[in-house]
Amino acid sequence: MLDKTQIEITKAKVNKMKNSKRKLHGLMLLSLLTLSGLVGATQPIPAAWFETFKQQASPEQLYDFLYLLPKGGDLHNHLSGSNFSEWWFELATDQQINGGYRYYTQIFANMCQNGNALEFSSIGNFLAFRNIQHSHYEQLGECEKSQYKALNELNSAEKQGWLNSIRLDKSGEGRDEFFEKHWPRLNELMNNPYIQAALLVKNMQAFGQENLVYLETQVGARNMLRADGSFFEPADVVDIYRQRLAQKDALSSGVTTRLQYTLLRFTPDAEQQLEWIYRFVDQNRDLYVGINMAGREDNDKGYPLRFLSTLRKLRSTLPAVDLAIHAGEVDEPNFHVRDTLLLGATRIGHGVNLIDDPQTMLLMRNGQAMVEINLVSNFLLEYINDYSQHPFPEYLRTGIPVALSTDDRGMWDSTMTDEYYVAVKQFNLSWQELIKLGENSLQYSFVDEKTKQRLLAQYDARLEKFIKDFKRQGMNMLKTTQSPKRGFICQYYSLCKP
């Protein structure tokens, strides 16, 4: 057995090898861009190649370059929010894939409650494009049924309205539209485990095309509905996920996937929910690797220290479960990030207001906890007015571990490449910083150590291949790239589909 001194020597050797590899990546790219005519042969430092590339490349070329770039993983991803509208519609209307379910959506506001007119857009009464399954629809009275229409019977205008209803695509839409309407609209679509499993694979395939190797997404197993309206047992739901992930199309995506279980922390019974979730994750560690506490931070009922005694009780008899907790996603300064660290979290979701807590920033420098940065989300939900207000570059450049992630990208109509493009354009990232973001997204993942080292090696190998391919092809490599450009990047950066 190695003593502590030998262990530290071994760690130092490993770190030295990693640093040497990063320098080699920079030197290789300097060489390849010299051959491509972008960098002169006398450039003195390895990172100079990327600086020249940023200056000379068009926005389309930079975007395509970042699309092809190996990116590591996505660690802050809500599965139900990560799906593009057309995916939801496809699966909700295809009974061969979705387990035989049929869905209806609310599109008419009729006077069905005690003769009083319904208040438009009130969740309690009428919410346009709220979805229910057939078993629920059959329980409604005739007047209530008249408010709904089968999804597969929508005309083209109604379908487009449905698609737009679960993405932020209009001026003035922000966090209230997102939190209070998007999720209630999806409603019972989220309670179909066959749809969730199929969407999981669609995400893996899409992320694989963007050259990610890992996805750690949030999806639950309770309150899932059968087509007849009865509930699945959580163990049966997890088996549906396992079986779907074992199929050929999932395996061929090249993306290793693990799950987190989400706790909605401001509910009255959140402590009891946490106890159940903790035990469930502990019993299903082959697939579930952590717990994520989510929910609006401006709802004070979900304050972090509410759960300290519950977690201490659980850890007194059960092995530790990794925690990633939303914190700092709020307008005003508070100590939620600090309190989240006290709970035992090693990943902080968002962390926007960490910048107002210098003592906790100092604690996190070069530490064991990482901040999951969601640039598109923070902008669209108006936690920043523009990117000059975002603390990401300060964290990155003062030694606080960070990685880019997509949050609810389906509702933003965006991609991981968008996150990288925003980061490079707004904060002038260097080549070394790009590489570090990818490494952090794997190093701070919750997978077991053996899998983590395999993913890091896979990331390094893909990076080396990317460099060699670019060295061989130069800028011609970008000419044949078919990078998908969706709504966000088109609307805000004028990078649109041809």
Side-chain angles (χ1 to χ4, degrees), residues 337 341 346-348 350-373 391-404 433 436-437 440 444:
V337 174
L341 295 175
T346 53
R347 295 214 310 261
I348 308 298
H350 299 282
V352 177
N353 77 353
L354 171 62
I355 194 73
D356 299 314
D357 183 1
Q359 290 185 327
T360 303
M361 284 183 67
L362 184 62
L363 179 67
M364 292 186 66
R365 287 187 63 191
N366 306 305
Q368 301 300 312
M370 189 197 78
V371 181
E372 303 158 346
I373 299 293
F392 161 63
E394 182 68 8
Y395 302 162
L396 173 69
R397 290 159 179 162
T398 60
I400 295 175
V402 290
L404 298 176
E433 288 170 339
K436 188 62 178 176
L437 290 172
N440 282 349
Y444 287 86

Side-chain angles (χ1 to χ4, degrees), residues 74-92:
D74 188 358
L75 299 183
H76 188 114
N77 178 286
H78 301 266
L79 181 60
S80 291
S82 186
N83 309 302
F84 300 120
S85 297
E86 64 269 23
W87 293 356
W88 279 113
F89 193 86
E90 173 195 346
L91 294 174

Side-chain angles (χ1 to χ4, degrees), residues 180-194:
E180 306 301 333
K181 295 183 179 179
H182 280 194
W183 303 101
R185 281 183 176 128
L186 286 173
N187 195 33
E188 291 179 353
L189 291 176
M190 297 186 292
N191 299 116
N192 182 331
Y194 300 105

Side-chain angles (χ1 to χ4, degrees), residues 246-436:
Q247 293 180 23
K248 185 177 180 180
D249 57 347
L251 298 173
S252 64
S253 71
V255 176
T256 298
T257 298
R258 297 293 187 271
L259 308 180
Q260 297 176 38
Y261 207 114
T262 306
L263 170 71
L264 195 59
R265 60 187 176 196
F266 53 71
T267 59
D269 64 343
E271 290 89 348
Q272 291 75 30
Q273 294 289 335
L274 176 58
E275 291 197 35
W276 184 92
I277 291 170
Y278 196 105
R279 291 185 170 87
F280 183 81
V281 170
D282 182 51
Q283 295 165 4
N284 294 277
R285 288 179 182 262
D286 62 310
L287 187 57
Y288 279 92
V289 294
I291 296 172
N292 200 303
M293 294 187 188
R296 295 186 68 156
E297 282 187 75
D298 52 13
N299 184 332
D300 293 335
K301 293 179 180 179
Y303 67 97
L305 292 185
R306 172 182 173 181
F307 303 99
L308 183 58
S309 61
T310 303
L311 284 167
R312 286 178 171 173
K313 181 178 73 172
L314 288 163
R315 288 192 287 249
S316 70
T317 58
L318 294 170
V321 169
D322 284 318
L323 300 176
I325 300 178
H326 289 59
E329 189 189 17
V330 70
D331 296 316
E332 71 277 0
N334 59 31
F335 297 104
H336 283 186
V337 174
R338 181 201 64 186
D339 294 346
T340 293
L341 295 175
L342 183 60
L343 294 184
T346 53
R347 295 214 310 261
I348 308 298
H350 299 282
V352 177
N353 77 353
L354 171 62
I355 194 73
D356 299 314
D357 183 1
Q359 290 185 327
T360 303
M361 284 183 67
L362 184 62
L363 179 67
M364 292 186 66
R365 287 187 63 191
N366 306 305
Q368 301 300 312
M370 189 197 78
V371 181
E372 303 158 346
I373 299 293
N374 304 285
L375 295 173
V376 175
S377 172
N378 298 155
F379 175 69
L380 291 181
L381 297 187
E382 301 171 345
Y383 292 105
I384 55 170
N385 294 320
D386 59 68
Y387 283 112
S388 67
Q389 299 176 339
H390 204 288
F392 161 63
E394 182 68 8
Y395 302 162
L396 173 69
R397 290 159 179 162
T398 60
I400 295 175
V402 290
L404 298 176
S405 46
T406 64
D407 200 12
D408 297 285
R409 65 170 188 154
M411 295 179 177
W412 324 141
D413 205 21
S414 69
T415 65
M416 180 63 88
T417 304
D418 292 0
E419 303 284 346
Y420 271 73
Y421 185 84
V422 171
V424 172
K425 291 293 286 186
Q426 300 294 336
F427 308 114
N428 193 31
L429 297 190
S430 69
W431 173 249
Q432 287 89 344
E433 288 170 339
L434 281 177
I435 294 174
K436 188 62 178 176

Side-chain angles (χ1 to χ4, degrees), residues 438-449:
E439 289 178 343
N440 282 349
S441 69
L442 300 174
Q443 189 64 54
Y444 287 86
S445 67
F446 291 160
V447 291
D448 62 275
E449 191 61 28

